Amino acid sequence: MSSEEPFGSCPAPVRERELVLLGHGSGGVLTSRLLADVFLPAFTNPILARLDDQARLELQGARIAFTTDSYVVTPLFFPGGDIGRLAVNGTINDLAMGGARPMYLSVGFILEEGLPLEDLKRVVASMRDAAVEAGVTIVTGDTKVVGRGSADRLFVNTSGLGLVPEGVELSARRVRPGDVVLASGSIGDHGMAIMAARQSLGLEGDLRSDTAPLHGLVEALLAACPQAHALRDPTRGGVNATLHEIAAASGVGIEIAEDAVPVRDAVRGACEILGLDPLSVANEGKLVAFVPEPQAEAALAALRAHPLGREAVRLGATTTEHPGRVLVRTVLGSRRVLERPHGELLPRIC
Amino acid sequence: MSSEEPFGSCPAPVRERELVLLGHGSGGVLTSRLLADVFLPAFTNPILARLDDQARLELQGARIAFTTDSYVVTPLFFPGGDIGRLAVNGTINDLAMGGARPMYLSVGFILEEGLPLEDLKRVVASMRDAAVEAGVTIVTGDTKVVGRGSADRLFVNTSGLGLVPEGVELSARRVRPGDVVLASGSIGDHGMAIMAARQSLGLEGDLRSDTAPLHGLVEALLAACPQAHALRDPTRGGVNATLHEIAAASGVGIEIAEDAVPVRDAVRGACEILGLDPLSVANEGKLVAFVPEPQAEAALAALRAHPLGREAVRLGATTTEHPGRVLVRTVLGSRRVLERPHGELLPRIC
């Protein structure tokens, strides 16, 4: 039996909604849509719904943080790090942004048939070194191998467990109007290092990934500013995506000063050549902090006293104005709306 | 300068050692070698070195089990289940084999650009259903997208957390000579279902994956037999790989009776056509238990009283003879050595 609908009564399916796009992995608008349309409705529960970088659980009285990330970066080895170091530090950082002390990691490899074993050994050695440096232990793992052409050399998932100290309660939802927004240092380093390594663009300057474990920096920050509201490491989608995420979760507006944004010359030069906004470029060793105004100076001083926060700055503040939106005050004094990254600036950045 | 070695003084590098092979993911000999040569030397620590299916940790007094698995099965959907159900049940089972009550899962997707969103939604719905049925909560997740041709549609990693009840201490290292080896039901179902679904071999019969969460069955077993020594779910490499793994870890020999091995007719028929040994074919809803002889009957009765263990059998026993080896007593009364699976019987089985 025919069941044709009158023409126009049923909206034609939008092509870009039917297939997974690179932008679904960007950390931007399409990623949020995937979360809102597919994952949250299915997996709905109060822990997941908090949408922080890590789940916080109580298990027999222990305050545990739990997080997972898959790493698909290409190339596997790049100036400043490799996929192994990234996978250890990245998951440590997701725990640290909840104030947790990272303790244990799992490692799951997906290997493409034909990968040189030497490459695997290099990645594994790098993970070992990063774990030792950060004081975490890799306690369980898994390896799958897929045929040639079914994966691109090596993917790795790390999941992590940490302990959240008594009294620490960091969450996007705690951000309030009037909070000060701090950044722990220069932005865009990781993303531009990957882009330069991948595209042989002949970019000048010293472009290196900033991959680093941030739990020590967080500990120093929380010691000086125990009432900090929220922390994020601005990875995919950069500081831009992070600010939008916090604005959406907390319902505040955010305003930052363009001339406060710390960008290294090499990164700024490369961004200008490529027409990119450093605010939207990924970082792997930086954090953005939302702290109450009265504690902002103490927090900033604590960041600057730590080796990973020497170039920390006051980026801006949250406001009751334009809730959910992010504005940039330009050097000339005007304000422009910061558009959230939509598509995929640079696939497979982490 | 030429530096030729006299012919024969330096063994030529073995080709198969230089590249990752499908067999490295088989659960057999090559997987063990990868573990022994690459992962264990780098990540060495007492928790990992136990080589059970899950790490057991103490966090602020809580007895926690932690495990990870990536799933790369093809096809994504098959009779009896799909990659989503497999990913939830498989990780639950790795926790359950340590006697843990599964509590929380993380989910990490790697998606290939161009995957139909409908397929992702089906997988997600299946994970939701499996989690609800098993009483676990998916609390954190991550999604990466890679370009067309850089992955095969959809891979998923699930990591899991569970609580280990006081007094439960299951480990391959606790297995002793004289233990009875039990199997909870028919073997080879999952592997042959995947093979039939993939290869369109026109195999007759009702081949369906046995994917199921086993923690309830384990709970029933431990209630009847609290002194059980070790449990394993015989996935990649089947019961064969599991028995070899336990024999190697505990230093016992194992002898099983060929006519005790429960194999469904459809599975046996398909195995005969393809020249496969059901003992080496993967399972996703069965367990093998090593229990002290005095408690064996009680353990068997407890398994049989549970819906997932109705066809449980006594498979054989451990012995001081031929340590590290597995023998099969044939129907005719002779004994043959069971060779450990070497290469890859069937890639991407889970």
Side-chain angles (χ1 to χ4, degrees):
Chain A
M1 201 179 91
S2 166
S3 65
E4 281 184 75
E5 295 282 339
F7 185 76
S9 75
C10 175
V14 179
R15 181 74 187 159
E16 71 159 11
R17 282 195 166 166
E18 292 185 310
L19 301 179
V20 169
L21 306 173
L22 286 174
H24 284 118
S26 67
V29 173
L30 286 175
T31 303
S32 297
R33 209 177 286 162
L34 198 61
L35 202 60
D37 294 351
V38 179
F39 296 123
L40 287 182
F43 298 147
T44 180
N45 65 72
I47 301 172
L48 186 69
R50 289 187 31 232
L51 291 184
D52 286 315
D53 288 347
Q54 71 301 121
R56 260 111 73 201
L57 316 165
E58 282 231 356
L59 277 174
Q60 290 183 332
R63 289 163 50 93
I64 290 171
F66 180 30
T67 191
T68 194
D69 250 329
S70 299
Y71 298 84
V72 298
V73 65
T74 183
L76 296 178
F77 308 96
F78 46 80
D82 60 41
I83 192 171
R85 186 166 282 275
L86 208 60
V88 170
N89 288 342
T91 291
I92 284 173
N93 291 346
D94 280 344
L95 295 172
M97 296 307 119
R101 182 157 62 94
M103 305 281 290
Y104 298 109
L105 297 187
S106 66
V107 177
F109 285 105
I110 297 174
L111 308 177
E112 183 189 12
E113 180 190 19
L115 175 80
L117 264 183
E118 277 312 304
D119 286 351
L120 176 61
K121 287 180 183 170
R122 260 180 87 184
V123 170
V124 166
S126 179
M127 297 186 83
R128 175 201 60 207
D129 293 347
V132 168
E133 288 164 28
V136 300
T137 310
I138 293 168
V139 291
T140 189
D142 173 58
T143 305
K144 295 292 190 299
V145 181
V146 301
R148 282 173 200 268
S150 291
D152 186 8
R153 289 165 297 157
L154 184 157
F155 301 145
V156 57
N157 174 285
T158 45
S159 299
L161 289 183
L163 277 174
V164 184
E166 203 63 49
V168 170
E169 186 59 44
L170 293 162
S171 176
R173 300 191 173 190
R174 295 192 62 219
V175 171
R176 296 284 172 270
D179 280 359
V180 171
V181 185
L182 306 175
S184 66
S186 66
I187 68 168
D189 295 80
H190 176 73
M192 295 318 293
I194 296 297
M195 194 167 279
R198 198 183 300 174
Q199 302 189 334
S200 309
L201 290 172
L203 297 169
E204 296 187 335
D206 180 29
L207 294 172
R208 289 176 65 81
S209 170
D210 59 345
T211 178
L214 294 171
H215 56 301
L217 184 65
V218 170
E219 204 179 326
L221 172 67
L222 291 179
C225 176
Q227 267 72 56
H229 286 154
L231 305 178
R232 280 288 192 281
D233 57 331
T235 56
R236 287 183 284 179
V239 169
N240 180 340
T242 291
L243 296 179
H244 277 95
E245 193 190 319
I246 296 284
S250 65
V252 303
I254 299 177
E255 188 171 320
I256 64 170
E258 191 169 47
D259 59 0
V261 179
V263 184
R264 283 151 41 81
D265 287 343
V267 171
R268 189 180 299 283
C271 280
E272 279 172 6
I273 290 169
L274 295 167
L276 299 175
D277 182 353
L279 284 170
S280 299
V281 178
N283 311 275
E284 289 289 343
K286 300 295 165 7
L287 64 79
V288 174
F290 293 78
V291 300
E293 162 67 40
Q295 299 184 4
E297 274 311 308
L300 191 57
L303 289 175
R304 287 180 175 164
H306 190 280
L308 291 173
R310 276 194 300 260
E311 298 168 24
V313 297
R314 186 187 281 246
L315 213 56
T318 59
T319 167
T320 53
E321 293 176 55
H322 51 84
R325 301 178 78 184
V326 182
L327 270 63
V328 178
R329 185 171 295 274
T330 68
V331 188
L332 302 175
S334 65
R335 297 193 305 178
R336 65 176 171 90
V337 173
L338 185 65
E339 291 295 338
R340 187 168 186 184
H342 186 275
E344 181 59 284
L345 176 69
L346 182 61
R348 301 183 60 188
I349 193 78
C350 60
Chain B
M1 202 180 87
S2 164
S3 65
E4 282 183 74
E5 294 284 339
F7 186 77
S9 74
C10 175
V14 179
R15 181 74 188 159
E16 71 160 10
R17 282 194 166 169
E18 293 185 309
L19 301 179
V20 169
L21 305 173
L22 286 174
H24 283 118
S26 67
V29 174
L30 287 174
T31 303
S32 297
R33 209 179 283 164
L34 198 63
L35 203 61
D37 294 350
V38 179
F39 297 123
L40 287 181
F43 298 146
T44 180
N45 66 71
I47 301 172
L48 186 68
R50 287 187 31 233
L51 292 184
D52 286 314
D53 288 347
Q54 71 302 118
R56 259 111 73 201
L57 316 165
E58 282 233 356
L59 277 174
Q60 289 182 333
R63 290 163 50 93
I64 289 172
F66 180 31
T67 192
T68 193
D69 250 329
S70 299
Y71 298 84
V72 297
V73 65
T74 183
L76 296 177
F77 308 96
F78 46 81
D82 59 41
I83 192 171
R85 187 166 282 274
L86 208 60
V88 170
N89 288 343
T91 290
I92 284 173
N93 291 346
D94 281 344
L95 295 172
M97 296 307 120
R101 182 157 61 94
M103 305 280 292
Y104 299 108
L105 297 187
S106 67
V107 177
F109 285 105
I110 297 174
L111 308 177
E112 183 189 11
E113 180 190 17
L115 175 80
L117 265 183
E118 277 311 304
D119 286 350
L120 176 61
K121 287 179 183 168
R122 259 182 88 186
V123 170
V124 165
S126 179
M127 296 186 83
R128 174 201 61 208
D129 293 347
V132 168
E133 288 164 27
V136 299
T137 310
I138 292 169
V139 290
T140 190
D142 173 58
T143 305
K144 294 292 189 300
V145 181
V146 300
R148 281 173 202 267
S150 291
D152 187 8
R153 289 165 296 158
L154 182 158
F155 301 145
V156 57
N157 174 285
T158 46
S159 300
L161 288 183
L163 276 174
V164 184
E166 203 62 49
V168 170
E169 186 59 43
L170 293 161
S171 176
R173 300 189 172 192
R174 294 192 61 219
V175 171
R176 296 282 171 271
D179 280 0
V180 171
V181 184
L182 306 174
S184 66
S186 66
I187 69 169
D189 296 79
H190 176 73
M192 296 317 295
I194 296 298
M195 193 167 279
R198 199 184 298 173
Q199 303 190 333
S200 310
L201 290 171
L203 296 170
E204 295 188 333
D206 180 29
L207 293 173
R208 289 176 65 82
S209 170
D210 58 344
T211 178
L214 294 172
H215 58 300
L217 184 65
V218 170
E219 204 178 327
L221 172 67
L222 292 178
C225 176
Q227 266 72 54
H229 287 154
L231 305 178
R232 280 289 191 282
D233 57 331
T235 56
R236 286 183 285 180
V239 169
N240 181 341
T242 291
L243 296 180
H244 277 94
E245 193 189 319
I246 296 282
S250 65
V252 303
I254 299 177
E255 188 170 321
I256 64 171
E258 191 168 47
D259 60 0
V261 179
V263 183
R264 282 151 41 83
D265 287 344
V267 171
R268 189 181 300 280
C271 280
E272 278 172 7
I273 291 168
L274 295 166
L276 299 175
D277 182 353
L279 284 170
S280 298
V281 178
N283 312 275
E284 290 289 344
K286 299 295 163 14
L287 63 79
V288 174
F290 294 77
V291 301
E293 161 67 41
Q295 299 185 4
E297 275 311 308
L300 191 58
L303 289 175
R304 287 181 174 161
H306 190 280
L308 291 173
R310 276 194 300 261
E311 297 168 25
V313 296
R314 185 188 283 244
L315 214 54
T318 60
T319 165
T320 53
E321 291 177 57
H322 51 84
R325 300 177 80 184
V326 182
L327 269 61
V328 178
R329 186 172 294 274
T330 67
V331 188
L332 301 175
S334 64
R335 298 194 304 178
R336 65 176 171 91
V337 173
L338 186 64
E339 292 295 339
R340 189 170 182 179
H342 186 275
E344 181 59 286
L345 176 68
L346 182 62
R348 302 182 59 188
I349 193 78
C350 61

